[in-house]
Amino acid sequence: MSDTRHDLNHLLELMAVLRDPQQGCPWDVQQDWDSIVPHTLEEAYEVADAIQRRAFDELPGELGDLLFQVVYYSQFAAEEGRFDFHDVVDTLTAKMLHRHPHVFPDGTLASRREGMSAAEVQTRQVHSRWESLKAEERAERAHDAEAHSVLDDVPRTLPALARAAKLSKRAARVGFDWPDARGVLAKIREELDEVEEALAEGDRQHAAEEVGDLLFAVTNLARTLKADPEQCLRHTNAKFERRFRHLEAALAAEDVPLPEAGLAAMERHWQAAKRHDVPLKESPQGESQP
């Protein structure tokens, strides 16, 4: 291992060499915009997984893998004469300066807010200003003013649960929302009744459609509670896995093969797992950045 501490310029040079048709890596040379997208999504989830597990020793590597995806796309763009990594950094910095006038009042990196600490700035006002600026940016990007929608630029490639949360949040900002959580609960009961009706009619396709409506309503409940539904489900997935592994271990200790255990025995150990389960320290609640 070299003692050299690598920097961003080294990373950009490495990517350029990897993509070189003569000296590069055959696999990297063959990649294109579309082929890298699945890797990008996977790397983002691996970052989230490391954070949830508090595996901070793994995080530099996982963040590096995610950064590498940005460098990849920038290299593709540079090869096609579209933009390069420095344009990405410049665009991002300019956008963040524009969206944080409460920190950089002159819109420059050198300017600073005076007279108030960060704690004294009203969070609600910051969120309001942030969303207003983002709405302006979306409007500027719209080619056809008549086709402009508050739902524009919600990525279609987001996981369905996360996209449902963003869609409902956008609609709620313009008043398309229930006044409180009780309205959402009523909607959930309504959707559940419709699932039961479809099942009673033997219409599985209709039932599946109603399940989608039910999931969307539950997503709205999480938003109403200021909780991230994706994180809520991630925590529940982890809880289920933890308890099911306890169940498996308990049956193995009794020398009972899992397929032969039967539901009653499984339920007994499941309840024991629930009693001994350690509650999660992290809260699934949290809103997007301002």
Side-chain angles (χ1 to χ4, degrees):
M1 293 289 290
S2 170
D3 292 333
T4 302
R5 185 174 178 83
H6 299 295
D7 59 27
L8 186 54
N9 288 327
H10 292 145
L11 180 59
L12 296 175
E13 180 182 353
L14 179 147
M15 174 55 75
V17 174
L18 288 176
R19 288 281 297 172
D20 186 275
Q22 301 300 322
Q23 300 179 313
C25 169
W27 188 88
D28 290 284
V29 171
Q30 292 172 4
Q31 302 313 304
D32 58 27
W33 295 94
D34 297 311
S35 68
I36 293 297
V37 169
H39 299 283
T40 307
L41 297 175
E42 180 180 344
E43 299 300 351
Y45 279 113
E46 289 183 359
V47 168
D49 178 66
I51 292 173
Q52 185 177 32
R53 292 185 290 108
R54 294 298 189 259
F56 295 116
D57 58 327
E58 300 176 18
L59 202 50
E62 298 298 352
L63 289 171
D65 291 343
L66 185 57
L67 172 61
F68 196 63
Q69 305 302 304
V70 179
V71 173
Y72 234 127
Y73 295 121
S74 300
Q75 180 64 29
F76 293 152
E79 292 168 3
E80 297 172 6
R82 301 177 184 274
F83 58 84
D84 62 17
F85 183 83
H86 301 290
D87 294 316
V88 173
V89 174
D90 179 66
T91 301
L92 173 60
T93 304
K95 180 168 62 177
M96 290 300 106
L97 288 170
H98 177 65
R99 289 184 179 179
H100 291 82
H102 53 287
V103 179
F104 307 102
D106 296 338
T108 65
L109 198 56
S111 65
R112 293 292 186 276
R113 178 187 64 245
E114 295 181 0
M116 286 192 299
S117 68
E120 292 172 317
V121 178
Q122 293 294 319
T123 302
R124 186 181 300 274
Q125 294 176 352
V126 172
H127 275 280
S128 177
R129 178 60 176 164
W130 176 277
E131 295 303 338
S132 175
L133 289 169
K134 289 202 295 185
E136 291 175 9
E137 292 167 7
R138 286 194 293 270
E140 289 174 3
R141 291 198 299 268
H143 297 293
D144 183 355
E146 294 182 0
H148 177 64
S149 167
V150 296
L151 304 181
D152 284 348
D153 78 359
V154 177
R156 296 181 181 276
T157 52
L158 279 175
L161 194 63
R163 189 163 194 265
K166 280 190 173 292
L167 289 171
S168 63
K169 188 176 181 180
R170 287 281 183 87
R173 286 185 191 136
V174 294
F176 191 69
D177 198 9
W178 292 272
D180 53 39
R182 288 176 296 180
V184 191
L185 287 170
K187 184 63 175 177
I188 290 173
R189 295 187 185 99
E190 175 189 328
E191 298 296 353
L192 184 57
D193 288 343
E194 292 179 359
V195 172
E196 292 178 342
E197 290 173 10
L199 288 174
E201 295 169 359
D203 191 338
R204 297 177 66 88
Q205 182 174 349
H206 185 205
E209 180 181 340
E210 295 297 346
V211 168
D213 293 345
L214 177 60
L215 288 171
F216 194 87
V218 172
T219 299
N220 272 281
L221 178 60
R223 175 184 55 79
T224 302
L225 299 175
K226 299 188 183 304
D228 178 358
E230 192 78 18
Q231 281 296 91
C232 289
L233 189 55
R234 285 175 64 86
H235 280 288
T236 295
N237 287 344
K239 181 169 61 178
F240 177 88
E241 182 178 5
R242 205 165 51 241
R243 292 175 179 177
F244 194 82
R245 288 180 183 276
H246 176 99
L247 178 156
E248 289 177 312
L251 288 171
E254 295 174 356
D255 201 25
V256 178
L258 194 61
E260 301 174 13
L263 185 57
M266 288 185 179
E267 178 65 18
R268 174 166 52 85
H269 289 301
W270 178 266
Q271 293 301 326
K274 287 178 65 175
R275 289 192 298 271
H276 295 93
D277 199 10
V278 178
L280 290 168
K281 295 181 180 179
E282 306 89 40
S283 169
Q285 297 186 358
E287 297 181 340
S288 59
Q289 63 177 335

